[in-house]
């Protein structure tokens, strides 16, 4: 199958037509994600992100529909109640930018037309930009604070929360100049966002928080067999939707593309996020966890090193909080 924008849009619109005929509970459908951008392929693979809005509460929040080994549809299901207050959506750090940029595909009652118009109204006003950034960094700080009272031996759940804090922190900065960053291109795009706000060193700092200085570029490929083993060992009943079997090539081909690029360490973000998600979904005695633990030990993200990572996270959040406050003052936003 030839993968190009027109072909993917044709398939998407055909699916939308089929679902509309089958499901009278649909209020609206919209397209978001990489297909709206110029770069939608990475390693020859992509997904098509759709959101289906339903009149009633949803049973299945997300579904993956494979088209080929390299392309799948990623469909989120929302209740229309999520969209009842467009003013609050404006300052939501993920939903707000998504609705602002989305392409509406089905909307017979103009529900999404109204919502999108309301969200776009003064979306770029300084206080709203600041509110979206502040919401992200506060989530990151909350995770750090939790570890001041919780001091368990770090396992997969702890590392995943640590990575979630880094995601929130980095997106607090990224959100000033566009959509929040998604996993596959996270480290590819963050440097430009950090430079635009005047703190280019944040990109190197983020790599440092992931343990990048502790591994040579040539050794990164050694992590891939362990990642594949964990991915394939996930039982169907405990497999996260993000790690659906149809997404194996989506990640693996992207990893291989990054390893062949001029910046191979950009692999670390999507690799660690997905591998750690798999690790926390496996039984604690699963043999596949040994390879994950070995990789994180090399990156100095486990054991006693995890305490150092938390201390580093504190300092990184200080920098981000100071940067957000400085931006607010430059742009006339009152900060307490």
């Amino acid at each position: 199958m030839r993968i190009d924008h027109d072909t993917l849009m044709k398939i998407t619109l055909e699916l939308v037509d089929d679902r509309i005929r089958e499901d009278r509970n649909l209020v609206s459908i919209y397209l978001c994600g990489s297909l709206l951008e110029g770069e939608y392929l990475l390693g020859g693979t992509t997904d098509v992100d759709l959101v289906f809005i339903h009149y009633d509460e949803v049973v299945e929040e997300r579904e993956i529909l494979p088209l080929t080994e390299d392309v799948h549809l990623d469909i989120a299901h929302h209740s229309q109640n999520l969209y009842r207050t467009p003013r609050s959506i404006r300052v939501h750090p993920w939903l707000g930018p998504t609705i602002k940029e989305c392409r509406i595909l089905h909307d017979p009652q103009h529900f999404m037309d109204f919502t999108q118009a309301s969200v776009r109204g003064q979306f770029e006003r300084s206080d709203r930009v600041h509110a979206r950034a502040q919401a992200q960094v506060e989530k990151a700080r909350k995770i750090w604070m939790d570890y001041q009272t919780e001091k368990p031996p770090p396992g997969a759940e702890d590392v995943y929360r640590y990575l979630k804090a880094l995601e929130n922190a980095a997106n607090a900065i990224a959100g000033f100049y566009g959509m929040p960053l998604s996993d596959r291109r996270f480290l590819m795009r963050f440097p430009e966002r950090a430079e635009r706000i005047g703190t280019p060193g944040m990109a190197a700092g983020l790599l440092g928080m992931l343990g990048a200085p502790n591994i040579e570029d040539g050794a990164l490929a050694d992590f891939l067999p362990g990642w594949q083993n964990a991915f394939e060992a996930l039982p169907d009943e405990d497999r996260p939707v993000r790690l659906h079997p149809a997404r194996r090539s989506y990640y693996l081909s992207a990893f291989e593309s990054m390893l062949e690029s001029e910046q191979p360490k950009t692999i670390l973000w999507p690799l660690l996020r997905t591998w750690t998600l798999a690790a926390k979904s496996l039984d604690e005695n699963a043999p596949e966890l040994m390879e994950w633990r070995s990789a994180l030990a090399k990156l100095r993200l486990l054991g006693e090193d995890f305490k150092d990572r938390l201390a580093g996270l504190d300092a990184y959040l200080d920098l981000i909080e100071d940067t957000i406050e400085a931006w607010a003052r430059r742009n006339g936003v009152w900060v307490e």
Side-chain angles (χ1 to χ4, degrees):
M1 173 183 167
R2 180 182 176 185
I3 303 174
D4 59 37
H5 187 274
D6 289 345
T7 300
L8 292 175
M9 281 304 306
K10 181 176 182 294
I11 293 170
T12 299
L13 293 173
E14 289 173 352
L15 171 80
V16 168
D17 287 341
D18 289 343
R19 288 296 182 93
I20 292 168
R21 286 194 293 268
E22 295 170 0
D23 188 353
R24 299 298 181 184
N25 189 40
L26 284 169
V27 180
S28 300
I29 299 173
Y30 64 83
L31 173 72
C32 54
S34 62
L35 200 57
L36 296 176
E37 305 169 0
E39 293 180 288
Y40 56 91
L41 290 175
L42 182 57
T45 64
T46 191
D47 64 349
V48 178
D49 296 297
L50 294 168
V51 177
F52 287 16
I53 303 175
H54 301 260
Y55 286 104
D56 303 323
E57 294 299 320
V58 299
V59 176
E60 183 180 32
E61 294 185 352
R62 186 176 179 184
E63 64 174 310
I64 304 295
L65 296 179
L67 299 178
T68 71
E69 184 180 2
D70 298 325
V71 182
H72 63 275
L73 302 177
D74 188 346
I75 304 172
H77 295 275
H78 294 169
S79 165
Q80 66 175 343
N81 293 330
L82 183 62
Y83 298 82
R84 289 298 189 189
T85 55
R87 290 184 180 180
S88 65
I89 294 174
R90 286 178 193 153
V91 294
H92 191 287
W94 279 93
L95 193 57
T98 297
I99 293 175
K100 176 179 177 287
E101 300 296 337
C102 77
R103 175 178 169 184
I104 301 169
L105 303 180
H106 171 69
D107 193 37
Q109 298 182 21
H110 305 289
F111 176 82
M112 271 303 297
D113 282 335
F114 170 78
T115 302
Q116 187 177 58
S118 299
V119 169
R120 285 175 172 175
Q122 299 182 324
F123 185 83
E124 301 296 346
R125 205 171 74 183
S126 295
D127 59 332
R128 289 171 180 160
V129 175
H130 176 261
R132 292 192 292 271
Q134 193 64 29
Q136 293 273 43
V137 76
E138 286 176 1
K139 289 179 181 178
R141 180 59 78 182
K142 172 64 167 58
I143 293 172
W144 178 83
M145 286 293 296
D146 288 344
Y147 279 109
Q148 305 317 297
T149 54
E150 302 173 16
K151 301 185 184 297
E157 181 65 39
D158 299 295
V159 176
Y160 194 77
R161 290 172 65 196
Y162 168 78
L163 294 173
K164 185 65 179 177
L166 287 178
E167 178 193 30
N168 289 328
N171 270 325
I173 296 301
F176 279 104
Y177 302 106
M179 290 287 298
L181 303 175
S182 57
D183 278 350
R184 293 205 306 172
R185 292 181 173 86
F186 200 90
L187 292 177
M188 295 178 180
R189 293 180 172 174
F190 183 67
E192 185 266 339
R193 306 284 183 95
E195 186 169 358
R196 285 187 67 180
I197 206 167
T199 54
M202 279 186 182
L206 182 57
L207 277 170
M209 299 294 290
L210 296 173
N214 302 308
I215 189 109
E216 297 294 329
D217 290 357
L220 291 165
D222 296 340
F223 290 159
L224 295 190
W227 180 91
Q228 292 183 73
N229 290 337
F231 188 96
E232 291 165 7
L234 287 167
D236 290 341
E237 63 273 15
D238 294 321
R239 179 181 290 273
V241 178
R242 183 178 291 183
L243 301 181
H244 188 283
R247 290 169 69 85
R248 180 181 180 277
S249 177
Y250 173 77
Y251 288 120
L252 193 55
S253 295
F255 296 161
E256 292 167 349
S257 176
M258 292 175 200
L259 290 175
E260 295 170 1
S261 73
E262 295 181 359
Q263 300 292 332
K265 285 182 179 175
T266 55
I267 191 179
L268 281 173
W269 183 261
L271 179 79
L272 288 174
R273 281 268 289 178
T274 52
W275 200 357
T276 303
L277 177 59
K280 80 186 193 76
S281 304
L282 290 168
D283 183 85
E284 62 181 11
N285 296 315
E288 293 79 12
L289 286 179
M290 292 296 294
E291 295 168 295
W292 175 81
R293 293 189 184 105
S294 174
L296 267 70
K298 291 177 182 177
L299 294 168
R300 299 182 66 180
L301 293 174
L302 282 181
E304 290 299 312
D305 292 318
F306 191 69
K307 296 179 182 178
D308 295 334
R309 293 298 175 213
L310 291 176
L313 176 61
D314 182 25
Y316 197 66
L317 291 177
D318 284 344
L319 174 60
I320 288 176
E321 288 161 347
D322 289 345
T323 302
I324 292 172
E325 182 176 342
W327 184 95
R329 296 190 185 281
R330 289 196 307 271
N331 289 273
V333 179
W334 171 255
V335 180
E336 294 183 0

